[in-house]
Amino acid sequence: MEKNLRQLLAGLKYEVIQGSEDREIMGVAYDSRKVEENFLFVCIKGAVSDGHKYAPVAAQKGACAIVAEDAVEVPSSVTVIRVENSRYALALISAEWFDHPAKKLTTIGITGTKGKTTTSYMIQSILNAAGHKCGLIGTIESITGKRVIPSENTTPESYLINEYFSEMVESGFDSVVMEVSSQALMLDRVAGIYFDFGIFTNIAPDHIGPNEHKSFEDYMECKKKLLRQCRIGIVNRDDRHYEQIVEGNTCEKLETYGFDSNASLRASNAMMLSKRGRLGIRYEASGIVNIPVEIDIPGKFSVYNSLAAIAVCHHFGVTPDAIMDALTHAKVKGRVEMVHVSDNFTVMIDYAHNAMALESLLSTLREYHPSRLICLFGCGGNRDPERRFSMGEVSGRMADLTIITSDNPRNEEPQAIIDNIVTGIRKTDGRYVTIIDRREAIAWAIHHGEPGDIIVLAGKGHEDYQIIKGKKYPMDERVIIREILDRDAETLKAGGEIRDREYTIHQG
């Protein structure tokens, strides 16, 4: 591919510091390590490093043009373009480089504190089941038709977004659903994309800190940008910040969903379902769509996620029967994902890896009145110990039994992390057991499951690895469970007895 620099800069306000705009560009990069001959290098400022420092390296590797906010020192043979915001410039340049693929797809953007991932998979499931070809970009992975790419960020950099969109167009996709994080909106990763649909799931204090948002107000303002960047806005009417969320929106049309009687799409008669080792929820949807809904994903939040999905798919002309059928089979890897182990008790995997997420999860599961609620989790190494104390305290307070084990110890000793969690759980009177090996801990949990129990394996979710001393090892909890069940079956078939090591159950 080859494009003229002047063409790539179309739509941007810029100043030519040196050189000519009439340069033929063979590629675009924002990482100097990926620069090749006659590339355009865009200097962006990151949390860890500043691309402006690498402009000389990019020029040495063959970049013939540089886009920057600040002054850079490169040979006079290199064109230098100064812009006010290089991240914004990267987004528009990337869209131009890939021939504006977002305009060739029906785009659905989802923002909010919780629910983005599940809602995106529900939408994709419904649309694909109805005959559409829908791509996905999100926290777990990006699906382009050409590739399935594990995600590093909820929303990738703008260049990657446009690259993925372009692959979707080439693959014959007609739509895409993507999670749009507050960071993505703040850092212009989705600049230049005018979404056909913008979903706002909810908002709660989160991502507040020195490297993220300075305040809840700042977090809110970043999230609200989506409703000024979409044609049809779809917002959770029940969120207590609803009025603030919709204030200043520029949507051509604004729709709402929730239990509120004023919502465009309303839920009523919600009923928790528990059957043969599975949990779910059933409710009636009315308003813009009138259907009974049943989902094998537990909790009230599943009502909200599915309502948002229904509200969007209604605009695609998907029939009520197709929506109902797709939602029945909807499943999201690592998000209250049930793995069938027994008809007598429930085992599920969830990504809850901080105190707020764990408390929300355990509160939801308490609504199903389990005989015992058992929570297995660990905490990551090289992270703030405060997270360990708070997660231990939450589980000690809300679970009937906590199984403390390893997560990603990284370069820390697993036992030291477990000791921190124990410090938190001892602030409660919760019962707990420590089993340092996660595989062994999962086996122990399964073998000690009793009728009516809910066992949740928290923290890993969609992850299929464990990091120990800087090295990644395969660890997929679905695979581990299957191996445990297969091994148990072989042991019983051979006339043996299933035995676990003895562990002491402590009281907090």
Side-chain angles (χ1 to χ4, degrees):
M1 190 188 301
E2 179 179 326
K3 290 203 173 182
N4 187 271
L5 177 58
R6 190 187 299 274
Q7 178 188 352
L8 291 175
L9 297 173
L12 280 172
K13 290 182 179 179
Y14 62 90
E15 179 185 359
V16 181
I17 302 301
Q18 70 179 43
S20 169
E21 300 153 277
D22 290 315
R23 306 292 296 259
E24 294 306 309
I25 303 298
M26 303 302 294
V28 177
Y30 58 94
D31 182 336
S32 61
R33 294 168 294 185
K34 296 182 179 179
V35 170
E36 298 180 24
E37 197 69 27
N38 292 319
F39 265 44
L40 167 63
F41 177 64
V42 183
C43 305
I44 61 173
K45 296 178 180 180
V48 178
S49 63
D50 185 347
H52 291 79
K53 295 179 181 179
Y54 299 96
V57 175
Q60 190 176 22
K61 294 185 71 174
C64 65
I66 305 285
V67 169
E69 295 176 26
D70 302 334
V72 293
E73 292 187 13
V74 294
S76 58
S77 58
V78 177
T79 297
V80 177
I81 305 293
R82 180 175 289 168
V83 295
E84 184 179 338
N85 182 335
S86 56
R87 282 188 176 275
Y88 180 82
L90 176 63
L92 269 60
I93 288 167
S94 300
E96 185 67 40
W97 178 255
F98 289 104
D99 297 321
H100 297 277
K103 294 181 179 179
K104 302 168 188 176
L105 298 162
T106 300
T107 50
I108 306 160
I110 307 176
T111 199
T113 303
K114 294 182 285 189
K116 298 186 296 295
T117 301
T118 301
T119 303
S120 65
Y121 277 93
M122 284 181 171
I123 291 169
Q124 189 198 38
S125 296
I126 294 170
L127 292 180
N128 286 346
H132 291 273
K133 293 185 73 174
C134 183
L136 182 142
I137 297 177
T139 302
I140 297 175
E141 61 194 355
S142 293
I143 302 170
T144 71
K146 285 190 171 185
R147 296 184 287 166
V148 176
I149 308 112
S151 297
E152 294 182 11
N153 299 310
T154 296
T155 312
E157 194 53 77
S158 58
Y159 179 88
L160 292 176
I161 291 173
N162 282 280
E163 182 179 26
Y164 297 167
F165 281 5
S166 180
E167 290 183 10
M168 292 174 196
V169 172
E170 290 174 18
S171 301
F173 283 23
D174 57 33
S175 51
V176 57
V177 57
M178 68 177 290
E179 298 180 50
V180 183
S181 67
S182 57
Q183 289 284 304
L185 289 158
M186 180 174 70
L187 299 174
D188 291 311
R189 291 178 188 160
V190 292
I193 300 172
Y194 188 68
F195 291 93
D196 292 289
F197 301 93
I199 299 172
F200 202 124
T201 61
N202 50 63
I203 192 163
D206 197 14
H207 301 289
I208 312 299
N211 295 322
E212 295 187 272
H213 299 282
K214 59 186 179 183
S215 64
F216 176 72
E217 289 70 27
D218 178 61
Y219 179 53
M220 169 71 85
E221 285 306 309
C222 286
K223 290 284 192 191
K224 286 172 62 173
K225 286 182 178 181
L226 182 63
L227 297 181
R228 296 193 289 271
Q229 205 172 319
C230 68
R231 183 171 60 86
I232 297 176
I234 299 173
V235 182
N236 181 348
R237 186 67 180 79
D238 293 352
D239 193 281
R240 68 189 185 93
H241 298 285
Y242 170 75
E243 297 296 342
Q244 191 178 350
I245 289 168
V246 300
E247 182 186 15
N249 82 85
T250 58
C251 306
E252 293 176 18
K253 185 178 183 182
L254 187 69
E255 296 180 350
T256 58
Y257 63 91
F259 288 88
D260 191 290
S261 60
N262 294 313
S264 314
L265 180 63
R266 300 174 295 280
S268 60
N269 302 321
M271 180 186 302
M272 308 292 181
L273 300 176
S274 182
K275 50 185 181 181
R276 299 188 53 160
R278 293 195 171 273
L279 306 177
I281 197 161
R282 176 192 296 141
Y283 68 92
E284 298 290 329
S286 60
I288 56 175
V289 178
N290 298 285
I291 54 172
V293 179
E294 185 171 319
I295 318 166
D296 274 348
I297 303 175
K300 190 176 180 180
F301 56 81
S302 295
V303 175
Y304 288 113
N305 296 337
S306 57
L307 282 172
I310 294 167
V312 167
C313 295
H314 159 71
H315 288 279
F316 283 76
V318 182
T319 66
D321 285 345
I323 291 174
M324 286 188 292
D325 184 62
L327 284 175
T328 301
H329 298 99
K331 188 176 183 180
V332 185
K333 187 176 182 182
R335 299 300 194 277
V336 284
E337 176 190 358
M338 279 167 288
V339 182
H340 189 262
V341 170
S342 167
D343 288 348
N344 296 320
F345 58 87
T346 303
V347 175
M348 66 176 60
I349 297 170
D350 192 82
Y351 190 50
H353 60 290
N354 60 45
M356 185 174 75
L358 189 63
E359 183 160 12
S360 174
L361 172 65
L362 297 180
S363 295
T364 293
L365 298 180
R366 274 285 170 213
E367 294 178 9
Y368 287 83
H369 305 293
S371 296
R372 294 185 304 168
L373 179 54
I374 299 171
C375 180
L376 179 152
F377 78 96
C379 288
N382 306 115
R383 297 292 187 270
D384 185 1
E386 182 57 42
R387 174 175 290 192
R388 305 167 193 175
F389 304 147
S390 56
M391 287 187 72
E393 189 171 354
V394 165
S395 189
R397 178 165 44 85
M398 302 191 70
D400 296 297
L401 175 65
T402 300
I403 302 170
I404 307 173
T405 185
S406 288
D407 192 285
N408 289 324
R410 297 184 175 87
N411 293 318
E412 284 193 66
E413 289 300 324
Q415 187 60 54
I417 298 171
I418 287 173
D419 290 344
N420 285 157
I421 298 171
V422 169
T423 298
I425 206 168
R426 281 180 175 165
K427 294 179 181 179
T428 74
D429 59 0
R431 300 169 71 241
Y432 69 94
V433 59
T434 63
I435 305 176
I436 198 166
D437 183 280
R438 194 172 185 105
R439 294 171 188 268
E440 193 173 337
I442 293 171
W444 192 91
I446 290 172
H447 294 154
H448 288 76
E450 298 176 2
D453 284 353
I454 296 177
I455 302 170
V456 58
L457 315 182
K460 297 297 289 177
H462 59 277
E463 293 180 352
D464 57 3
Y465 59 85
Q466 190 173 39
I467 303 173
I468 303 172
K469 300 296 182 186
K471 187 175 179 181
K472 268 189 179 183
Y473 295 89
M475 175 173 277
D476 187 322
E477 292 184 322
R478 298 146 206 79
V479 174
I480 290 171
I481 291 170
R482 177 46 50 200
E483 289 173 349
I484 291 167
L485 297 180
D486 288 347
R487 188 175 65 234
D488 290 351
E490 290 176 9
T491 299
L492 293 173
K493 186 177 179 181
E497 185 179 347
I498 297 169
R499 296 189 177 204
D500 295 294
R501 284 177 57 187
E502 294 292 328
Y503 288 97
T504 303
I505 297 177
H506 304 275
Q507 192 87 25

